[in-house]
Amino acid sequence: MRKALSATMLTRTALIILISAMAHMATVSEASKEAPVMLENIKWLGHDVFLITGSKTIYTDPFQIMDEGPVADIVLITHEHRDHCSPEDVKKVSGTGTVIVTTPDCVEKLSDVPKKELRAVKPGDRIDIAGVAIEAVRAYNTNKKFHPKEKNWVGFVFSADGVTYYLAGDTDRIPEMKNIKCDVAFLPVSGTYVMTAEEAVEAALDIKPGIAVPMHYGAIVGEASDAEKFASSLKGRQNVKVLRQE
């Protein structure tokens, strides 16, 4: 009798494991189908610069903008370091009606940029600009001094055209990342000033986005190999896309 019960329990356990595995495979498969769609309107312009087009045109941290592109409806700037808050590059993408969302120290730095509206934010702030919901979230170093938590510099979680993006900013892997919900996560991978590729892998597993996109390499610090290491380390565990610089 005990053997029969034991066999039954084993069979049930095996069935539960099988069902769980099938559910996981279905989820991964569905995410894989959706991932390319979510990237269709995203261009990586190098470093932490993304151009997202759709009903609104959004730039993140404009820096070393080479070619004239569409005028921004919204510019998101994470902090005041020159490779993120660059007045000359912000001028290139700004026009009448452009709204710049950034930290108070960047507002001062950008005061001479014409044809713009500046909105200062700190971690935890939420604003809506023409239907684009934007939340400022924390970004800071845990084991280095370049981006101290006390500065209140930020990353952004923002939603446009049904897709939620997470721009991590210059940060290490931090506990707050476990609360981030997004479809697309832009994560730094270069080390030195931000988390390494290995640390970014753990951050991606904390966040579990629909797709993770490496950034912060190839300009100031970091190489393409950092992005490739990030992608290869997550193979089979997380959708990753290494974008070609445009």
Side-chain angles (χ1 to χ4, degrees):
M1 183 66 176
R2 288 179 180 175
K3 288 182 178 180
L5 285 172
S6 178
T8 301
M9 290 174 67
L10 284 170
T11 301
R12 287 178 179 172
T13 301
L15 184 60
I16 290 169
I17 292 172
L18 178 61
I19 291 171
S20 298
M22 290 175 66
H24 175 71
M25 288 173 66
T27 301
V28 171
S29 176
E30 188 62 30
S32 297
K33 291 177 184 176
E34 292 176 357
V37 175
M38 290 189 290
L39 295 174
E40 284 179 352
N41 64 331
I42 301 173
K43 291 183 178 181
W44 180 53
L45 306 184
H47 204 45
D48 286 14
V49 192
F50 293 93
L51 167 60
I52 300 168
T53 54
S55 60
K56 299 297 175 187
T57 298
I58 303 169
Y59 285 86
T60 67
D61 285 353
F63 176 63
Q64 294 182 341
I65 300 293
M66 303 301 292
D67 299 318
E68 185 175 337
V71 172
D73 294 299
I74 300 169
V75 178
L76 302 174
I77 300 177
T78 58
H79 65 294
E80 65 89 23
H81 287 164
R82 66 178 182 86
D83 53 323
H84 298 268
C85 182
S86 168
E88 58 269 28
D89 288 294
V90 173
K91 288 177 184 179
K92 292 177 184 178
V93 303
S94 296
T96 303
T98 297
V99 180
I100 301 168
V101 183
T102 188
T103 53
D105 47 8
C106 290
V107 168
E108 295 177 16
K109 193 171 177 180
L110 296 168
S111 60
D112 292 332
V113 176
K115 300 180 181 178
K116 47 62 182 146
E117 179 181 346
L118 290 166
R119 303 275 188 94
V121 293
K122 63 184 184 303
D125 286 350
R126 298 172 185 242
I127 60 175
D128 186 286
I129 298 174
V132 177
I134 302 168
E135 179 184 3
V137 296
R138 287 204 175 274
Y140 59 91
N141 290 140
T142 58
N143 56 11
K144 50 188 78 76
K145 62 183 180 180
F146 304 106
H147 306 90
K149 189 174 184 178
E150 312 84 71
K151 286 285 191 178
N152 279 332
W153 288 335
V154 300
F156 292 100
V157 177
F158 58 103
S159 297
D161 298 322
V163 177
T164 300
Y165 305 89
Y166 170 44
L167 176 73
D170 274 14
T171 186
D172 288 324
R173 179 193 179 201
I174 56 176
E176 291 88 342
M177 287 176 173
K178 291 185 177 180
N179 298 321
I180 300 293
K181 306 296 181 187
C182 64
D183 300 304
V184 181
F186 303 121
L187 301 176
V189 299
S190 63
T192 305
Y193 304 109
V194 296
M195 54 188 168
T196 63
E198 293 85 356
E199 291 165 337
V201 166
E202 297 305 315
L205 294 174
D206 287 341
I207 300 162
K208 301 179 180 68
I211 189 163
V213 178
M215 66 175 188
H216 203 285
Y217 65 92
I220 301 299
V221 68
E223 305 293 339
S225 58
D226 294 309
E228 296 298 341
K229 182 188 298 182
F230 173 74
S232 63
S233 298
L234 283 168
K235 189 174 182 179
R237 297 191 287 170
Q238 165 69 58
N239 284 322
V240 177
K241 179 65 175 178
V242 178
L243 296 180
R244 178 179 60 85
Q245 183 172 344
E246 299 190 37

